[in-house]
């Protein structure tokens, strides 16, 4: 058994011993009626009270698996640093209702001249804990108990279905319920950008349009964005990391975490209520129906929904509610895609530009997008250079460093451009002549004539000029996967990436340049389309006059 150091015993014995009886106990804090879905939500409360004066001298909340030493630590604080208005002192006698605690304290406190007695009841502590339990029982649970387990299961099933891998936020899916004064919900899936994951269930089409319009017109104003956020009228499911970190600078894509590291959050947003992470009975029933019907719809139409074009689809489901009465045993729910609304929202994003945006666009047009930096027959690839290989590159090729960064993940994300040796030298010299490389970006592009959509690879040099290095079909599965990995690696490196210029296009290493073929490494920052601010670039026809 662990006992006090002699110096600690001497210090405690110097405290004035008062003729009072203290009560001490350790009990579970949660009410037996409370539904705990996660064991981390449970805990024990330690209380030390002065029964003679009727005051709490010390209190602590600990994990349920903490050892018996915790009750002694709280007792020491109760003696040396008690809660106000009590003053430092040691009691003449201590009462506990647990035999194990009694014997443990007798051994630890044997040199302090304190009697440790057993009592089957502790009136003051019993009254305090009854008050705690009443407070806990009176609290409204985040989710009604009859829906808690079912909703969490549906949320995790939705995470595994990962609709954000193929659905964009503006690709709205309607869910017609017609029950509990709810007609149709409009589901917007978040997560394709790797920032926030979840689903917003708008109660009206008008609320959805109004929110998107306000966000698009006030992108730079944090205050306006917050106000627009709170004016939404929707139910929501979002996902968060189970153990939130305090490091705001440490960005981590939730999509890379294991299911066990995530926790779903349900709630409601309304202009008059604001945000609350609590669902009441009818709201929980509506969210359950929405999640279950949307999950079935995604399961049944995943292939069609993954196509480049947002299709027109509709399906009806009969869904049983958990623990429901006969009157509401099964509800008919109709789920439909809304391609026309999706097109309208996409057009809204393109059209809603203020005068400043137009001036910026005019400025962009004046300097134009150039395509004369990278040779047409070059081999292009998106990849990664291991941190070990990066050190060799820095020592063996022309190296242009942008700044210091942490080596996180499997390496530095890079764009590799392989061409012939003479052309590679020309590319390197041209980049160096205009100050070096500043940024690498992928920006959406469209051909208005055949309807094709592209992912345009752009290089931005230090003088602000933009150079096209590659055009990739937006729905090319190989490129889509390469972009996904590129985005994740750039998040790991906080936006640092690189451009490698290599020779050997006509030799044996074509398409797979070796270290000896690499001639230069330019480090740069990765920019999102939003940061670049170009919008969707349109392919314009060029005519030659005879």
């Amino acid at each position: 058994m662990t006992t006090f150091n002699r110096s600690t015993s001497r210090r405690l014995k110097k405290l004035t011993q008062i003729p009072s009886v203290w009560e001490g106990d350790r009990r579970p804090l949660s009410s037996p009626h409370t539904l705990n879905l996660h064991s981390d939500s449970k805990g024990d409360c330690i209380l030390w009270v002065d029964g003679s004066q009727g005051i709490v001298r010390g209190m602590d909340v600990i994990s349920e698996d903490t050892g018996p030493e915790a009750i002694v630590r709280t007792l020491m604080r109760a003696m040396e640093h008690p809660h106000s208005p009590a003053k430092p002192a040691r009691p003449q006698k201590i009462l506990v209702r647990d035999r194990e605690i009694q014997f443990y304290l007798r051994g630890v406190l044997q040199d302090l001249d304190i009697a440790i007695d057993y009592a089957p009841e502790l009136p003051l502590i019993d009254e305090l804990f009854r008050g705690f339990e009443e407070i806990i029982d009176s609290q409204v649970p985040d989710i009604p108990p009859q829906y808690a387990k079912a909703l969490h299961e549906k949320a995790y099933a939705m995470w595994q279905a990962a609709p954000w891998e193929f659905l964009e936020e503006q690709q709205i899916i309607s869910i017609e319920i017609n029950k509990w004064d709810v007609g149709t919900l409009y589901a917007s899936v978040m997560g394709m950008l790797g920032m926030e994951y979840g689903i917003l269930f708008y109660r009206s089409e008008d609320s959805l349009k109004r929110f998107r319009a306000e966000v698009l017109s006030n992108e730079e104003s944090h205050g306006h964005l917050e106000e627009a956020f709170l004016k939404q009228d929707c139910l929501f499911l979002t996902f968060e990391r189970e153990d939130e970190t305090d490091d705001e600078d440490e960005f981590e894509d939730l999509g890379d975490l294991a299911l066990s590291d995530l926790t779903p959050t349900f709630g409601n947003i309304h202009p008059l209520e604001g945000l609350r992470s609590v669902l009441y009975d009818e709201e929980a029933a509506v969210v359950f129906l929405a999640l279950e019907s949307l999950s079935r719809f995604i399961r049944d139409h995943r292939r069609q929904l993954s196509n480049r074009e947002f299709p027109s689809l509709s399906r009806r489901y009969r869904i049983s509610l958990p623990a429901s009465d006969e009157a509401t045993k099964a509800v008919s729910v109709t789920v439909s895609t809304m391609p026309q609304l999706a097109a309208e929202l996409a057009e809204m994003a393109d059209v809603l530009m203020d005068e400043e945006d137009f001036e910026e666009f005019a400025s962009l047009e004046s300097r134009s997008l150039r395509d004369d930096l990278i040779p047409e027959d070059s081999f292009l690839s998106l990849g990664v250079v291991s941190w070990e290989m990066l050190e060799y590159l820095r020592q063996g090729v022309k190296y242009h460093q942008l700044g210091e960064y942490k080596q996180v993940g499997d390496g530095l994300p890079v764009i590799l451009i392989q061409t012939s040796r003479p052309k590679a030298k020309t590319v390197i010299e041209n980049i160096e002549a205009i100050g070096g490389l500043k940024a690498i970006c992928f920006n959406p592009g469209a051909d208005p004539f055949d309807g094709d959509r592209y992912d345009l690879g752009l290089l931005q040099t230090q003088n602000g000029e933009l150079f096209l290095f590659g055009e990739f079909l937006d729905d090319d599965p190989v490129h889509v996967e390469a972009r996904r990995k590129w985005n994740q690696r750039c998040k790991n490196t906080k936006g640092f990436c690189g451009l490698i210029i290599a020779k050997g296009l006509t030799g044996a290493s074509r398409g797979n340049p070796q270290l000896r073929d690499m001639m230069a490494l330019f480090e740069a920052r990765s920019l999102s389309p939003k940061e670049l601010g170009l919008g969707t670039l349109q392919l314009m026809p060029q005519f030659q006059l005879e």
Side-chain angles (χ1 to χ4, degrees):
M1 178 186 294
T2 304
T3 57
F4 287 131
N5 295 326
R6 291 187 178 277
S7 59
T8 302
S9 295
R10 287 193 295 269
R11 186 181 79 242
L12 293 174
K13 288 190 74 171
K14 290 179 181 178
L15 294 172
T16 302
Q17 189 168 36
I18 56 178
S20 62
V21 179
W22 293 3
E23 298 177 10
D25 202 9
R26 169 179 176 170
R27 302 183 189 180
L29 187 58
S30 59
S31 164
H33 308 295
T34 303
L35 176 64
N36 287 299
L37 293 173
H38 304 287
S39 60
D40 294 344
S41 63
K42 298 179 181 178
D44 287 353
C45 180
I46 297 174
L47 267 179
W48 284 102
V49 301
D50 186 332
S52 304
Q53 299 182 13
I55 57 175
V56 176
R57 294 188 62 97
M59 177 178 174
D60 205 357
V61 177
I62 59 170
S63 170
E64 60 181 358
D65 55 2
T66 304
E69 298 83 3
I71 198 168
V72 179
R73 291 193 291 267
T74 309
L75 174 60
M76 283 188 65
R77 287 197 296 274
M79 288 192 285
E80 294 187 294
H81 308 286
H83 293 171
S84 180
K87 294 181 179 180
R90 59 191 170 100
Q92 202 166 47
K93 182 163 55 170
I94 284 175
L95 292 178
V96 296
R97 65 161 196 166
D98 186 301
R99 292 288 189 187
E100 289 187 11
I101 293 177
Q102 179 192 11
F103 296 139
Y104 182 78
L105 291 177
R106 277 182 176 176
V108 173
L109 306 178
Q110 57 186 326
D111 296 330
L112 300 184
D113 299 329
I114 300 174
I116 316 294
D117 290 346
Y118 168 82
E121 294 182 355
L122 304 173
L124 189 53
I125 286 184
D126 290 343
E127 183 62 30
L128 286 170
F129 271 102
R130 274 193 295 272
F132 292 159
E133 289 181 1
E134 287 175 5
I135 293 173
I136 292 172
D137 288 340
S138 66
Q139 289 178 342
V140 177
D142 292 346
I143 304 172
Q146 68 269 30
Y147 288 102
K149 183 179 178 182
L151 277 178
H152 278 81
E153 288 175 351
K154 297 305 174 189
Y156 286 126
M158 184 63 72
W159 178 266
Q160 292 177 315
W164 38 80
E165 290 183 357
F166 48 86
L167 287 176
E168 300 180 37
E169 289 184 27
Q170 76 272 12
Q171 293 178 317
I172 306 301
I173 295 177
S174 69
I175 304 172
E176 187 180 347
I177 295 175
N178 293 326
K179 202 160 189 64
W180 303 293
D181 297 319
V182 174
T184 300
L185 297 177
Y186 300 87
S188 174
V189 176
M190 303 183 298
M192 183 169 279
L193 297 179
M195 302 290 288
E196 294 180 272
Y197 290 85
I199 303 173
L200 301 177
F201 298 103
Y202 288 91
R203 292 187 177 92
S204 72
E205 191 175 325
D206 180 63
S207 173
L208 166 63
K209 290 180 179 178
R210 188 169 56 248
F211 173 67
R212 289 187 67 84
E214 291 189 23
V215 167
L216 289 168
S217 59
N218 295 285
E219 285 185 307
E220 303 302 321
S221 172
H222 178 75
H224 283 101
L225 286 177
E226 184 175 353
E227 183 180 357
F229 176 82
L230 293 175
K231 284 183 178 179
Q232 294 180 99
D233 184 9
C234 65
L235 299 159
F236 65 82
L237 160 66
T238 58
F239 293 91
E240 299 172 1
R241 183 171 182 139
E242 178 76 21
D243 52 337
E244 286 289 345
T245 60
D246 295 329
D247 189 356
E248 295 182 0
D249 297 328
E250 189 68 28
F251 179 83
E252 186 171 20
D253 188 346
L254 295 183
D256 297 323
L257 299 179
L259 192 64
S260 58
D261 294 329
L262 296 166
T263 182
T265 300
F266 300 89
N268 174 82
I269 306 175
H270 187 273
L272 300 181
E273 284 192 82
L275 183 149
R276 57 173 162 83
S277 296
V278 172
L279 292 180
Y280 293 99
D281 286 7
E282 290 183 1
E283 294 169 338
V286 167
V287 172
F288 176 85
L289 290 174
L291 282 177
E292 174 63 13
S293 59
L294 184 58
S295 294
R296 295 187 191 182
F297 188 75
I298 290 169
R299 177 199 64 197
D300 294 340
H301 299 288
R302 190 179 190 92
R303 182 180 57 81
Q304 297 99 310
L305 293 171
S306 299
N307 291 338
R308 179 166 59 91
E309 295 295 331
F310 192 43
S312 179
L313 302 168
S314 184
R315 191 139 185 182
R316 180 176 293 178
Y317 302 97
R318 288 194 64 80
I319 299 172
S320 298
L321 290 167
S324 61
D325 55 32
E326 289 297 323
T328 56
K329 189 170 184 180
V331 179
S332 178
V333 180
T334 302
V335 184
S336 309
T337 57
M338 304 190 71
Q340 186 174 347
L341 177 59
E344 185 179 338
L345 295 175
E347 184 180 355
M348 186 188 298
D350 292 335
V351 172
L352 248 153
M353 300 171 66
D354 56 22
E355 293 180 3
E356 183 179 333
D357 294 324
F358 279 115
E359 290 174 5
E360 185 178 336
F361 184 71
S363 173
L364 169 68
E365 286 214 314
S366 67
R367 68 176 188 257
S368 74
L369 177 63
R370 297 175 55 179
D371 62 356
D372 57 351
L373 179 65
I374 307 302
E376 288 186 10
D377 59 350
S378 300
F379 172 79
L380 307 175
S381 71
L382 284 67
V384 62
V385 172
S386 68
W387 300 117
E388 183 180 7
M389 174 69 78
L390 183 62
E391 294 304 317
Y392 288 116
L393 273 175
R394 285 173 171 172
Q395 298 170 18
V397 304
K398 283 192 174 183
Y399 171 53
H400 298 265
Q401 185 175 9
L402 186 66
E404 295 294 331
Y405 50 87
K406 293 181 180 180
Q407 295 187 354
V408 180
D410 55 353
L412 181 72
V414 295
I415 302 297
L416 173 68
I417 297 177
Q418 186 184 30
T419 184
S420 65
R421 180 183 180 88
K423 291 180 179 179
K425 287 184 65 177
T426 301
V427 172
I428 295 167
E429 290 168 359
N430 288 341
I431 294 176
E432 291 175 335
I434 50 181
L437 188 63
K438 181 179 181 180
I440 298 174
C441 175
F442 288 91
N443 198 79
D447 185 340
F449 299 100
D450 61 15
D452 287 337
R453 300 187 70 86
Y454 294 90
D455 201 20
L456 304 179
L458 307 179
L459 302 176
Q460 185 181 49
T461 50
Q462 291 292 349
N463 66 350
E465 287 192 280
L466 292 168
F467 294 88
L468 180 70
F469 72 80
E471 299 176 30
F472 309 91
L473 280 172
D474 201 38
D475 58 355
D476 178 3
V478 175
H479 177 66
V480 169
E481 179 62 18
R483 270 296 310 279
R484 186 189 69 78
K485 292 180 179 178
W486 168 270
N487 291 341
Q488 179 54 48
R489 287 162 176 157
C490 287
K491 287 169 188 170
N492 290 340
T493 60
K494 302 294 179 63
F496 282 93
C497 56
L499 170 68
I500 293 178
I501 307 298
K503 60 182 177 66
L505 182 65
T506 59
S509 60
R510 174 184 173 86
N512 186 29
Q514 304 301 304
L515 183 60
R516 64 179 179 275
D517 299 310
M518 298 179 187
M519 299 178 62
L521 167 63
F522 295 89
E523 289 185 355
R525 295 303 301 266
S526 171
L527 292 183
S528 68
K530 183 177 179 180
E531 291 171 315
L532 202 57
L534 304 184
T536 300
L537 299 177
Q538 303 289 328
L539 177 65
M540 302 303 294
Q542 296 181 353
F543 300 100
Q544 291 185 345
L545 299 178
E546 295 281 333

